[in-house]
């Protein structure tokens, strides 16, 4: 009798352990299916006249999104970049920013939506 109770307890504990082990895997696949972008990232765009690039990295905080940039475009060439923002699964929105050539620094967006992409297609941008 004692052996049956011990064996039953061990089976129950094993079942509980397996049930708990599978729960995080399900939660991770659920968020991956939604396609929500990361809260930080990196990207770059190419200058018009040569193979120089403008490099970007960003971090989304509690009240804003901060962009770090390094523009390697020669001769003071300005580059206009289009930032594509996550919009809770609905249609994304775009904001454009112009960066001076041969400069580096930071730029802050006063909203907390995560950036999905940076490119030079400025047709979809809203007015700043």
């Amino acid at each position: 009798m004692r052996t049956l109770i011990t064996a039953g307890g061990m089976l129950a504990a094993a079942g509980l352990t397996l049930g708990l082990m599978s729960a995080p895997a399900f939660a991770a696949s659920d968020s991956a299916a939604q396609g929500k972008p990361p809260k930080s990232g990196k990207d770059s765009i190419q200058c018009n006249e040569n193979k120089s690039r403008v490099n970007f990295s960003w971090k989304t905080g509690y009240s804003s999104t901060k962009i770090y940039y390094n523009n390697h475009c020669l001769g003071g060439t300005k580059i206009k970049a289009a930032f594509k923002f996550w919009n809770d699964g609905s249609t994304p929105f775009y904001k454009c920013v112009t960066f001076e050539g041969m400069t580096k620094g930071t730029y802050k967006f006063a909203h907390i939506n995560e950036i999905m992409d940076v490119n030079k297609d400025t047709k979809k941008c809203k007015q700043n």
Side-chain angles (χ1 to χ4, degrees), residues 54-57 67-71 99 103-107:
V54 183
N55 301 314
F56 300 98
S57 62
I67 308 288
Y68 299 90
Y69 67 91
N70 191 353
N71 188 343
F99 298 94
T103 60
K104 63 180 179 177
T106 60
Y107 186 86

Side-chain angles (χ1 to χ4, degrees), residues 38-42 56-69 83 85 106-109 111-115:
K39 292 191 177 272
S40 64
K42 295 180 180 180
F56 300 98
S57 62
W58 58 86
K59 178 95 173 132
T60 302
Y62 289 104
S63 61
S64 63
T65 301
K66 192 169 191 175
I67 308 288
Y68 299 90
Y69 67 91
F83 292 89
F85 285 90
T106 60
Y107 186 86
K108 187 182 280 190
F109 289 105
H111 46 78
I112 57 171
N113 295 55
E114 292 92 0
I115 295 173

